[in-house]
Amino acid sequence: MSSTIIFSNLSRNDDYAILLNGQDRGTVLPLKTITIDVELGKYELDIKGSNEEGLPSLCKPIQLTIADDKTVSLQIVALDFAIGIYDEKGTQLNAKHGFLCGTISKGVHVENPIT
């Protein structure tokens, strides 16, 4: 069996590449959603802007552990020239300050030491 990560792009203009363990797993277009099937396990998740400026994620990638047959929905938002990854509750998972560690949905755990 596999698990699923759903990415919703809230931008009206920009595309974003989804990076799992440093590998491009697809592009989510403006105001669209994509679904990526993954095996259970631990992943480093990052987002890269694919527009002309190549807007970077100025925040750290998140460490995502997903159990078998689980689904997590994430939102992508770009504010102040940085790409944010948000959970369904609106918590920015790749923020710059503090420490984030915990369950973001049933069977999905995020561990992100933020510096």
Side-chain angles (χ1 to χ4, degrees), residues 11-30:
S11 170
R12 294 183 176 275
N13 304 307
D14 297 313
D15 302 348
Y16 298 107
I18 308 298
L19 304 175
L20 286 178
N21 296 337
Q23 296 196 343
D24 189 332
R25 293 293 300 267
T27 300
V28 58
L29 301 173

Side-chain angles (χ1 to χ4, degrees), residues 61-106:
I62 63 171
Q63 307 300 315
L64 177 75
T65 303
I66 189 165
D68 199 22
D69 200 29
K70 298 298 178 186
T71 298
V72 60
S73 295
L74 302 174
Q75 297 178 337
I76 303 167
V77 181
L79 297 171
D80 302 321
F81 302 105
I83 302 169
I85 304 169
Y86 293 81
D87 67 9
E88 292 175 305
K89 296 177 184 173
T91 302
Q92 185 176 358
L93 303 178
N94 66 334
K96 290 184 178 181
H97 304 288
F99 185 87
L100 176 70
C101 181
T103 300
I104 59 172
S105 71
K106 188 174 181 180

Side-chain angles (χ1 to χ4, degrees), residues 35-57:
T35 300
I36 297 176
D37 292 328
V38 296
E39 297 299 319
L40 76 145
K42 188 171 186 175
Y43 295 91
E44 182 178 270
L45 169 62
D46 202 5
I47 306 294
K48 180 174 69 175
S50 54
N51 61 5
E52 294 169 3
E53 295 83 29
L55 182 66
S57 173

